[in-house]
Amino acid sequence: MKANASLPVALAALVVLAGCSGVGLPGDGTTTQEPPRTTDVEENVSAAFVVDGERVSVTLEVANAPEERSRGLMYRQSLPRNHGMVFVYGQAAPRTFWMKNTLVPLDIVFVAANGTVVDVAHADPQPNATDAELRRYSSDAPAKYVVEMRQGFANRTGVGPGAELAFNESRPTTES
């Protein structure tokens, strides 16, 4: 991870990420502040991926409760450019996701507790696949946050291992 003086402040102020539209591992339920309650537009957070000193601004819906993480981006027909969802967990752990009922191809960005991107998976929809047939996308290292963006975002912006995620507002936390 590159040194960035604003990262600890931004992370303390906000950090969000966690999983694909489908199923992720449950969080541990710990909460350090009052979290957003829904993934409604009013609950979006602003963040940026920092790649080689350049910031790529994104708008993220927050999925911090188990039912929100389970639903994710299912059934969405499209996603606006630089708009996605951040899945928030109580602690970093290996994360695995699938694309059940997800119609939009996604980049799944796994992020460590310190805001560093650990890896990116490029996930394609699998219409009519059974649960057993669905591909699983797993993090290479423990992730506290997972961000889903429209597929192509990571390649277009250079987001990959070592990039940083910084939030522009207070950090979303898991809902108990």
Side-chain angles (χ1 to χ4, degrees):
M1 180 170 106
K2 296 180 181 166
N4 182 342
S6 66
L7 182 61
V9 172
L11 286 174
L14 175 117
V15 174
V16 201
L17 264 163
C20 182
S21 46
V23 174
L25 301 175
D28 68 357
T30 60
T31 302
T32 58
Q33 66 186 44
E34 183 64 23
R37 292 288 181 201
T38 70
T39 55
D40 292 337
V41 173
E42 297 79 26
E43 300 298 335
N44 290 351
V45 294
S46 296
F49 284 98
V50 181
V51 180
D52 296 329
E54 298 292 322
R55 294 176 64 86
V56 178
S57 296
V58 295
T59 300
L60 301 171
E61 296 175 39
V62 179
N64 61 357
E67 62 277 2
E68 291 171 340
R69 291 191 301 262
S70 181
R71 183 178 57 249
L73 292 173
M74 287 181 176
Y75 306 107
R76 301 280 181 97
Q77 296 289 325
S78 64
L79 276 176
R81 184 176 175 97
N82 292 0
H83 182 98
M85 181 172 280
V86 61
F87 297 74
V88 182
Y89 295 89
Q91 63 186 38
R95 304 286 173 207
T96 298
F97 299 90
W98 62 10
M99 295 287 286
K100 183 173 183 162
N101 300 320
T102 304
L103 308 173
V104 177
L106 297 173
D107 285 341
I108 304 170
V109 184
F110 297 96
V111 181
N114 69 359
T116 302
V117 173
V118 295
D119 60 87
V120 177
H122 308 287
D124 294 313
Q126 292 181 265
N128 306 314
T130 66
D131 289 0
E133 295 169 327
L134 289 168
R135 284 185 292 278
R136 272 49 175 187
Y137 302 92
S138 299
S139 61
D140 290 338
K144 179 169 178 159
Y145 308 98
V146 181
V147 174
E148 293 179 335
M149 302 294 293
R150 190 170 66 190
Q151 194 176 86
F153 171 83
N155 288 340
R156 178 174 49 84
T157 61
V159 169
E164 298 173 6
L165 178 66
F167 290 88
N168 301 333
E169 28 199 82
S170 65
R171 177 188 307 194
T173 59
T174 58
E175 194 171 289
S176 323

